[in-house]
Amino acid sequence: MKAAIVLSGGAARGIAHLGVLKALQEQKVEITAISGCSAGAIVGAMFAAGYSPEHIFEIVVSTNTLRALRPAWSRVGLLNMKKAEEIYSVYLPHNSFENLKIPLTVNATDLYNGEIIYFSTGELLKPVMASCCIPGLFEPIIHNHKTLVDGGVLNNMPIEPLLNQNEFIIGSHCNPYGLSKSPKSMASLVQKALFLAINNNSQSRIKQCNLVIEPPLLKNFDPLDIRKAKEIFKVGYEFAKTLKVGEN
């Protein structure tokens, strides 16, 4: 079975995409095109480059990569993505959409024009990093004279590049909304509200997928806690494995 896949953003929960991709491979589903946002952009870029889900997982949870996710403060008081970009440049040295083995599109948000920007050609790493720049936490990335932040601000489920070009589209959505416990701080409350807003812009797009993979247990994991990476991977894998995707 051949299928395109759209990978949502979701911070640490995005590791579930790797479990989903592993399950799809085991069911002989051939991924022919990928569109990804934020964490889904990173997973999509690595998978499109030919890395296995297991290898990507090892890279993501490696010591150096975890350090890259906690980069130095920038001149404007926000974190920047420079160290993360340096790490991923080791695994994606060609730094080019054209050299990927599977066509990939990633999205980011043009901060000043309020527009969704899609990238599928040219330089790879800067658009991928821009797609991950959570507003208020990471410094925006300047690319092609545009100031870019996280793609999830306007479109956390970027299915549009896949429409009218693929017969079957799988949506891997790693942000099921639900409170596993009551917020205990203002920061926690703001985070929950942000993810609710992001989920809201995904709902109409989720409905356009032929099949949606959204493990409900992911709501039990903090989107910013990568320490539960193994459990998150397993949740994605176990849920996707039960769907018998190749039989749809």
Side-chain angles (χ1 to χ4, degrees), residues 12-85:
R13 289 176 178 173
I15 293 170
H17 294 318
L18 297 173
V20 169
L21 288 169
K22 178 183 178 182
L24 294 178
Q25 285 187 325
E26 291 179 353
Q27 296 181 50
K28 309 302 181 185
V29 176
E30 179 185 350
I31 302 300
T32 56
I34 303 170
S35 182
C37 175
S38 198
I42 291 179
V43 170
M46 297 294 284
F47 188 77
Y51 292 98
S52 70
E54 295 90 342
H55 193 179
I56 301 170
F57 178 80
E58 291 173 2
I59 293 169
V60 169
V61 301
S62 68
T63 302
N64 286 338
T65 302
L66 290 179
R67 287 176 181 169
L69 296 174
R70 296 191 291 269
W73 293 100
S74 74
R75 58 181 175 76
V76 295
L78 298 174
L79 302 175
N80 64 62
M81 301 293 290
K82 185 63 177 176
K83 288 186 178 180
E85 184 177 345

Side-chain angles (χ1 to χ4, degrees), residues 2-247:
K2 294 183 178 182
I5 190 167
V6 52
L7 306 171
S8 76
R13 289 176 178 173
I15 293 170
H17 294 318
L18 297 173
V20 169
L21 288 169
K22 178 183 178 182
L24 294 178
Q25 285 187 325
E26 291 179 353
Q27 296 181 50
K28 309 302 181 185
V29 176
E30 179 185 350
I31 302 300
T32 56
I34 303 170
S35 182
C37 175
S38 198
I42 291 179
V43 170
M46 297 294 284
F47 188 77
Y51 292 98
S52 70
E54 295 90 342
H55 193 179
I56 301 170
F57 178 80
E58 291 173 2
I59 293 169
V60 169
V61 301
S62 68
T63 302
N64 286 338
T65 302
L66 290 179
R67 287 176 181 169
L69 296 174
R70 296 191 291 269
W73 293 100
S74 74
R75 58 181 175 76
V76 295
L78 298 174
L79 302 175
N80 64 62
M81 301 293 290
K82 185 63 177 176
K83 288 186 178 180
E85 184 177 345
E86 291 173 356
I87 291 295
Y88 284 104
S89 69
V90 173
Y91 301 98
L92 301 165
H94 52 76
N95 194 20
S96 165
F97 280 93
E98 286 80 3
N99 284 327
L100 296 173
K101 297 180 180 179
I102 302 172
L104 170 72
T105 301
V106 303
N107 70 313
T109 300
D110 184 330
L111 184 61
Y112 292 136
N113 293 322
E115 297 175 344
I116 303 168
I117 307 295
Y118 296 101
F119 299 92
S120 58
T121 61
E123 183 179 350
L124 173 65
L125 286 172
K126 279 244 176 350
V128 169
M129 294 298 105
S131 187
C132 302
C133 281
I134 301 172
L137 180 61
F138 291 101
E139 181 181 8
I141 284 181
I142 309 299
H143 181 62
N144 291 344
H145 308 292
K146 295 183 182 295
T147 302
L148 305 173
V149 295
D150 196 306
V153 171
L154 294 179
N155 186 354
N156 200 47
M157 195 74 174
I159 192 174
E160 287 84 349
L162 303 178
L163 295 174
N164 304 319
Q165 300 181 43
N166 300 276
E167 291 186 5
F168 197 90
I169 300 175
I170 297 171
S172 181
H173 188 251
C174 60
N175 276 316
Y177 188 76
L179 296 177
S180 57
K181 55 185 177 181
S182 300
K184 299 190 182 315
S185 67
M186 181 59 69
S188 177
L189 182 62
V190 170
Q191 176 188 313
K192 295 294 185 183
L194 174 61
F195 275 86
L196 176 59
I198 288 175
N199 268 5
N200 187 57
N201 76 45
S202 299
Q203 294 309 307
S204 63
R205 296 173 171 104
I206 287 174
K207 293 176 182 177
Q208 296 180 75
C209 297
N210 299 99
L211 175 69
V212 178
I213 301 175
E214 184 183 59
L217 291 179
L218 288 177
K219 72 176 185 291
N220 297 325
F221 296 92
D222 186 331
L224 299 181
D225 187 3
I226 201 167
R227 294 172 299 177
K228 300 290 182 64
K230 289 183 179 180
E231 292 95 326
I232 294 171
F233 181 99
K234 184 177 180 181
V235 166
Y237 173 70
E238 294 293 344
F239 185 78
K241 190 170 64 170
T242 65
L243 296 179
K244 308 296 183 185
V245 180
E247 298 177 5

